[in-house]
Amino acid sequence: MYPQQIHGYLRELFKENKCQILSDSDQYLTVQLTIDMDKRIMNRPFYWQYLESTNGVPCPAQITLITDKNKLDQDVKGEVVHLGSPRLHQLFQTIKELGSFVLVYEKISGKSDSQTILTPWLGVNYKVSYFSDQTKETLYSLGINLMTGDLIEGFQESISDVDLDVNMSENTFNLPYIINPTRALDRLDAVIENKIQQDDHTWAEEAKMRWEKDRKVLEYFYEGVEERPDSYDIEKEAMDQQYEARIKIEIINGGLFYLK
Amino acid sequence: MIIERSSEWKEGFAKRLENREAWDSWKLYNMSYEIAKANLITDFRGLQSPRYLPNLTPLAHQLEVAETVIERMNGKAILADEVGLGKTIEAGLILKEYLIRGLVKKALILVPASLVNQWLDELNQKFHIPALQYKKNYDLNYCSVVVMSLDTAKRSPHKENIYEQDFDLIIIDEAHKLKNHKTQSYEFVRNLKKKFCLLLTATPIQNDVFELFYLISLLKPGHLGNYESFQSAFSASKHNVEHDEYLKELVNQVMVRNRREDTGIEWTNRNVEIIPIEFTKEEKEVYDLISELKNVSTVFSDAFSLITLQREMCSSKEATALTLTDMLEKCTKQEDISYIEEIIGKLMALEINSKAEKAYEIISRVNGNKVIIFTEYKGSQTYLQWYLQSKGISSVPFNGKFNKNKREWMKQLFKDQAQVLIATESGSEGINLQFCHHVINYDLPWNPMKLEQRIGRVHRLGQEHDVNIYNLAIQNTIEDHILDLLYVKIGVFEQVVGELDDILS
């Protein structure tokens, strides 16, 4: 991820949350936080608790984030953020929290006499992680038509060229959904589980083999020892946790999409 | 297979459907997906961590170690690079990788007390890992990456607090401190749950091959068999093993070791010399009187203190006098007392210290360049400082008991003002003195790895000159025997672990 990308993300995060941007060069960003944003990212719950209990005048912080330290030629005081810095991690987490659920409509430009009919879809972005002593992650973006139950894979990509907005355009008509979105979500969950089942799980087999190998080594160490010491059980437990294959399904975000 | 899922999103979604909460921003929604996509870990293999460390440029061998440990050793390994190749960086890369991949949530880093701050600095600044120093009243439940000294950790109540936690990764620096399996430290680590575990030491064998056996048995019990099967399979005795090729291969499955010359980096040369010294007639007389002690009275027959005395006599009369005076207090018989008093008398009458003179000769030969002298004895340290002063050479003392500020201060004094730094053994860890390239081993330790540790203070990344090592040894004394034993021990190390850079000559 390039510094410019990160810079762009952060600018949008603050703009979308009504934080005033005080200065914005390519290398850094100074922002006046709103009260809500201050509470989210400044890690000072006691300040806010105190202020609210004493009815004080809130004074949300101003921060300067340096996104490209290498190109910065002025003397700017601020916090350096880059991929891997705890602050950026936190800001990305904030973006995730504030971009979890959407309701959007396809934009209909120009004035036409006839009404445009929009069909409701549920779109959900999943992250599936395979864990043993190693990890791998896969993204699945699924969409389901709430009228027909049709499924689309790569939903997020398929709508990337569509102009979408949180407000309805004039002269459009939204079909009411036939399939309840909550039910539809269950359908998508099932699709994901099915995908996982169909997937190649050599990784889990291999982890199991590593596990068994280590277990044999441990048994060898304690061969002939009648009363096994605590350390034997501790070792065994550590191995179980190290190699046991697990799968985690996580929803990044999703929502209702009204499309032509 | 276990599938973990959370219903959190579903609940949030239901609230929006029922208009109980507002929908989110479409822009942020897209950004969130893009970020998730960009940071996705698409492969079990390979390293993610370098992408997250834009300000760190790891060396090729360091990246290779991180990859090998994670992919081929399943995250349990001894990192045994030669001193100065950046084992801390390797451990940091591995820790970072596991944190990014979500495989490690909690990590415990056990280090010598003198290195706690250095680790905290490196982890926080180079790796952006918010590591904390353990404090008595901390609740470990809320600390994800903790650095503490092994000496603290092994004691109650800290020990119990640690056992209660579920650490995913344990890192132990200077792991050769665990070479003795009868110690409290060893027992503490043995009973610690080690899911992923890194043991860092440049010197996995210090004296004998069993040290390596015990170290590996901490990491992966059974890998070298149990004690009996290990001993019989390799006909192992302290200083000898058979089937060493096979053993080496087994060891290499759990240990990575880079040598300076494998790293592809241009290293300056290391010139090592043994400098034989002759005692003066008077010194020799005192030395012989000391060696005779065991035949004089059973009070002096304790071999250990006799050897200590002999070694001290090879160092300085100041070091010897202290021990002799202690002995005198224990004597009850008049004849013993007078024998010792006679030695002390002759000792104090000595006017020449041949070894110190040789050291001075070397120092005056190096044209004002910086020199480090390592001695085993505090008495000699003080004496040398006085002696060099009398010759117009400024020096600063250094030992491991100095606190962090004092260490830094002494190091600075040495860099800016004094020509010579005189360090005792415990000063040889955790100081980096690349600006100096002459090392005098005034006294020889029993353990060759101590020599390697000492030399490693100057012969490391950043050294621009050839490094000169002078090992002083007085002929026809115990120091001959020490030299022989050092060669034997180096032999065992090379048989099992691998080649060593020159440390004797």
Side-chain angles (χ1 to χ4, degrees):
Chain A
M1 206 174 275
Y2 297 107
Q4 306 92 286
Q5 264 174 301
I6 291 172
H7 192 91
Y9 287 144
L10 298 187
R11 186 198 292 125
E12 286 304 320
L13 169 66
F14 293 121
K15 269 168 67 182
E16 283 295 296
N17 287 285
K18 309 204 166 44
C19 299
Q20 196 192 348
I21 294 180
L22 302 173
S23 65
D24 182 2
S25 80
D26 288 342
Q27 298 88 30
Y28 71 96
L29 202 62
T30 304
V31 188
Q32 172 61 57
L33 300 180
T34 57
I35 294 171
D36 179 55
M37 199 47 115
D38 185 299
K39 286 182 185 171
R40 277 182 186 275
I41 70 170
M42 294 312 288
N43 317 318
R44 45 176 191 171
F46 297 122
Y47 168 76
W48 288 108
Q49 214 173 32
Y50 168 76
L51 203 78
E52 275 155 23
S53 62
T54 57
N55 280 324
V57 182
C59 183
Q62 267 182 25
I63 54 167
T64 297
L65 299 172
I66 298 170
T67 50
D68 196 350
K69 193 179 164 226
N70 297 335
K71 293 219 183 97
L72 189 71
D73 44 15
Q74 312 162 50
D75 183 27
V76 176
K77 286 205 170 57
E79 207 177 326
V80 179
V81 290
H82 57 78
L83 201 55
S85 69
R87 174 65 91 190
L88 190 65
H89 181 77
Q90 179 204 35
L91 292 170
F92 278 179
Q93 197 56 38
T94 308
I95 290 176
K96 185 169 183 278
E97 284 163 16
L98 296 174
S100 295
F101 309 96
V102 285
L103 170 61
V104 286
Y105 307 91
E106 187 162 344
K107 251 189 183 165
I108 307 300
S109 54
K111 295 227 166 170
S112 81
D113 294 337
S114 59
Q115 258 192 344
T116 310
I117 293 170
L118 296 181
T119 311
W121 286 76
L122 170 70
V124 181
N125 297 319
Y126 289 91
K127 182 159 95 176
V128 175
S129 314
Y130 293 167
F131 285 99
S132 60
D133 59 316
Q134 300 177 341
T135 34
K136 182 186 156 176
E137 302 169 342
T138 317
L139 279 188
Y140 295 98
S141 180
L142 301 181
I144 180 168
N145 185 319
L146 297 179
M147 302 298 294
T148 63
D150 285 349
L151 280 166
I152 288 191
E153 285 186 31
F155 182 74
Q156 180 76 16
E157 280 73 21
S158 77
I159 55 166
S160 63
D161 293 333
V162 181
D163 206 359
L164 293 163
D165 196 83
V166 291
N167 298 310
M168 254 188 287
S169 300
E170 278 174 35
N171 221 8
T172 54
F173 176 72
N174 301 329
L175 290 174
Y177 38 74
I178 293 176
I179 303 169
N180 178 306
T182 327
R183 288 282 96 71
L185 178 62
D186 292 339
R187 285 269 298 277
L188 295 185
D189 282 351
V191 170
I192 289 290
E193 282 196 24
N194 193 34
K195 279 188 170 301
I196 292 171
Q197 269 174 19
Q198 305 297 320
D199 203 7
D200 176 11
H201 291 292
T202 321
W203 66 276
E205 295 296 316
E206 284 171 356
K208 201 173 164 196
M209 273 155 62
R210 292 195 288 272
W211 189 0
E212 273 164 9
K213 202 172 151 198
D214 275 14
R215 216 157 27 189
K216 273 189 201 143
V217 166
L218 181 70
E219 291 301 328
Y220 184 51
F221 190 74
Y222 287 104
E223 209 175 53
V225 178
E226 287 280 321
E227 224 165 282
R228 307 243 158 136
D230 289 348
S231 54
Y232 169 80
D233 295 312
I234 296 166
E235 276 291 330
K236 255 181 97 158
E237 191 192 336
M239 261 175 225
D240 295 350
Q241 293 177 2
Q242 187 185 4
Y243 292 115
E244 182 164 62
R246 286 167 298 139
I247 294 172
K248 194 166 131 197
I249 304 174
E250 189 190 345
I251 294 178
I252 298 166
N253 54 19
L256 290 178
F257 296 80
Y258 284 90
L259 306 172
K260 248 202 306 203
Chain B
M1 213 173 310
I2 304 162
I3 294 188
E4 296 166 14
R5 49 163 79 244
S6 143
S7 59
E8 203 182 323
W9 192 83
K10 194 174 180 177
E11 286 154 17
F13 185 52
K15 281 185 197 158
R16 267 84 185 174
L17 287 175
E18 294 159 9
N19 286 323
R20 283 192 283 140
E21 266 184 55
W23 296 90
D24 294 331
S25 143
W26 172 233
K27 268 191 185 153
L28 295 183
Y29 181 95
N30 281 318
M31 269 163 49
S32 174
Y33 182 74
E34 277 175 37
I35 292 168
K37 202 169 163 180
N39 295 341
L40 199 70
I41 299 162
T42 53
D43 201 337
F44 285 114
R45 303 192 152 254
L47 293 180
Q48 301 287 326
S49 46
R51 290 203 300 140
Y52 290 82
L53 302 167
N55 307 321
L56 179 78
T57 315
L59 300 168
H61 73 270
Q62 294 165 342
L63 290 168
E64 205 176 302
V65 166
E67 222 168 318
T68 306
V69 168
I70 293 170
E71 290 173 12
R72 297 222 322 268
M73 300 178 169
N74 317 332
K76 275 192 161 185
I78 298 175
L79 307 186
D81 281 3
E82 284 187 318
V83 181
L85 292 184
K87 287 185 286 293
T88 318
I89 302 284
E90 293 164 2
L93 280 171
I94 294 167
L95 170 60
K96 187 79 182 177
E97 185 69 26
Y98 280 133
L99 287 170
I100 293 169
R101 285 178 177 263
L103 290 167
V104 166
K105 299 271 189 315
K106 284 177 80 91
L108 173 67
I109 297 155
L110 299 170
V111 308
S114 58
L115 297 180
V116 169
N117 284 313
Q118 205 171 310
W119 269 89
L120 287 168
D121 286 353
E122 297 247 323
L123 290 177
N124 280 287
Q125 276 156 33
K126 288 197 180 136
F127 291 96
H128 316 290
I129 295 171
L132 288 174
Q133 177 172 8
Y134 178 73
K135 298 264 165 65
K136 264 186 219 138
N137 46 359
Y138 275 12
D139 185 344
L140 283 174
N141 286 310
Y142 299 105
C143 303
S144 54
V145 180
V146 196
V147 180
M148 73 172 99
S149 85
L150 181 59
D151 286 331
T152 307
K154 72 184 179 195
R155 290 198 310 261
S156 295
H158 316 295
K159 181 170 83 171
E160 289 75 15
N161 290 341
I162 292 166
Y163 284 156
E164 270 173 31
Q165 297 297 315
D166 226 349
F167 287 109
D168 303 301
L169 170 65
I170 311 281
I171 296 176
I172 301 176
D173 194 11
E174 306 291 350
H176 47 263
K177 303 233 151 108
L178 300 170
K179 66 184 177 198
N180 185 345
H181 68 288
K182 289 178 186 144
T183 55
Q184 207 187 350
S185 302
Y186 191 93
E187 194 56 25
F188 164 69
V189 175
R190 200 164 75 100
N191 286 312
L192 196 56
K193 193 175 76 184
K194 297 177 287 294
K195 197 168 135 190
F196 298 111
C197 179
L198 305 174
L199 302 179
L200 280 55
T201 171
T203 55
I205 295 183
Q206 297 211 317
N207 291 299
D208 66 67
V209 71
F210 292 103
E211 294 168 357
L212 185 63
F213 168 79
Y214 283 115
L215 210 54
I216 290 179
S217 299
L218 261 192
L219 187 73
K220 244 183 149 177
H223 186 76
L224 295 181
N226 53 32
Y227 184 82
E228 290 77 25
S229 59
F230 172 75
Q231 203 179 21
S232 69
F234 300 104
S235 317
S237 63
K238 275 189 165 184
H239 297 147
N240 189 39
V241 281
E242 282 170 20
H243 313 295
D244 47 298
E245 279 311 307
Y246 181 54
L247 177 57
K248 210 184 242 175
E249 181 158 342
L250 274 177
V251 169
N252 284 336
Q253 288 170 10
V254 290
M255 184 177 89
V256 275
R257 175 171 171 84
N258 284 296
R259 301 201 46 224
R260 282 180 200 84
E261 56 183 52
D262 314 327
T263 55
I265 303 160
E266 289 271 331
W267 287 87
T268 61
N269 291 321
R270 187 187 271 204
N271 307 320
V272 188
E273 260 180 276
I274 291 179
I275 301 194
I277 298 164
E278 291 275 357
F279 265 151
T280 61
K281 211 174 98 236
E282 294 75 20
E283 284 172 317
K284 180 74 181 150
E285 192 194 344
V286 179
Y287 183 85
D288 289 341
L289 283 172
I290 286 171
S291 307
E292 272 305 303
L293 272 173
K294 61 176 184 293
N295 302 326
V296 173
S297 161
T298 47
V299 184
F300 309 130
S301 60
D302 170 17
F304 182 74
S305 47
L306 181 66
I307 288 171
T308 304
L309 263 179
Q310 286 176 318
R311 294 180 68 203
E312 285 170 342
M313 186 54 211
C314 290
S315 186
S316 71
K317 68 178 180 191
E318 286 69 12
T320 323
L322 275 174
T323 310
L324 277 178
T325 324
D326 283 352
M327 274 183 140
L328 196 59
E329 279 169 17
K330 286 186 203 125
C331 291
T332 43
K333 279 197 273 172
Q334 188 49 46
E335 51 193 280
D336 295 346
I337 293 174
S338 47
Y339 188 84
I340 298 239
E341 277 175 343
E342 187 201 337
I343 301 180
I344 293 179
K346 289 202 163 143
L347 183 74
M348 294 329 270
L350 290 176
E351 282 174 2
I352 291 172
N353 181 326
S354 305
K355 214 183 206 179
E357 284 190 349
K358 186 57 96 180
Y360 167 66
E361 193 188 310
I362 294 167
I363 295 166
S364 43
R365 250 192 353 228
V366 301
N367 302 327
N369 277 314
K370 307 278 178 195
V371 180
I372 302 173
I373 300 181
F374 280 103
T375 172
E376 298 263 290
Y377 307 104
K378 273 199 111 157
S380 304
Q381 186 185 33
T382 317
Y383 162 72
L384 282 168
Q385 217 187 341
W386 169 85
Y387 173 74
L388 292 176
Q389 184 69 45
S390 73
K391 300 279 184 185
I393 290 171
S394 57
S395 64
V396 287
F398 195 95
N399 76 57
K401 293 210 176 71
F402 290 176
N403 64 30
K404 193 192 176 197
N405 285 340
K406 191 160 181 192
R407 291 158 76 100
E408 282 303 315
W409 171 237
M410 287 301 167
K411 181 175 161 180
Q412 210 53 42
L413 272 182
F414 177 41
K415 194 172 181 181
D416 298 339
Q417 293 173 26
Q419 190 193 348
V420 178
L421 180 118
I422 306 172
T424 54
E425 195 59 60
S426 53
S428 66
E429 265 165 21
I431 41 161
N432 302 329
L433 305 163
Q434 291 95 324
F435 55 84
C436 166
H437 56 276
H438 294 279
V439 177
I440 297 177
N441 287 311
Y442 186 84
D443 304 305
L444 294 172
W446 289 108
N447 174 345
M449 299 310 144
K450 282 193 176 170
L451 283 176
E452 179 57 35
Q453 289 277 7
R454 290 173 176 184
I455 300 169
R457 299 302 109 212
V458 303
H459 199 214
R460 56 196 301 123
L461 286 174
Q463 176 57 261
E464 290 167 4
H465 298 88
D466 287 355
V467 173
N468 298 292
I469 316 296
Y470 312 91
N471 295 319
L472 308 188
I474 298 180
Q475 290 186 304
N476 306 314
T477 65
I478 181 95
E479 292 193 327
D480 282 345
H481 174 63
I482 295 177
L483 269 179
D484 288 345
L485 205 61
L486 284 172
Y487 280 116
V488 170
K489 289 174 176 177
I490 291 169
V492 175
F493 188 96
E494 297 201 325
Q495 238 185 322
V496 180
V497 178
E499 294 280 298
L500 257 181
D501 214 335
D502 291 347
I503 50 182
L504 280 182
S505 72

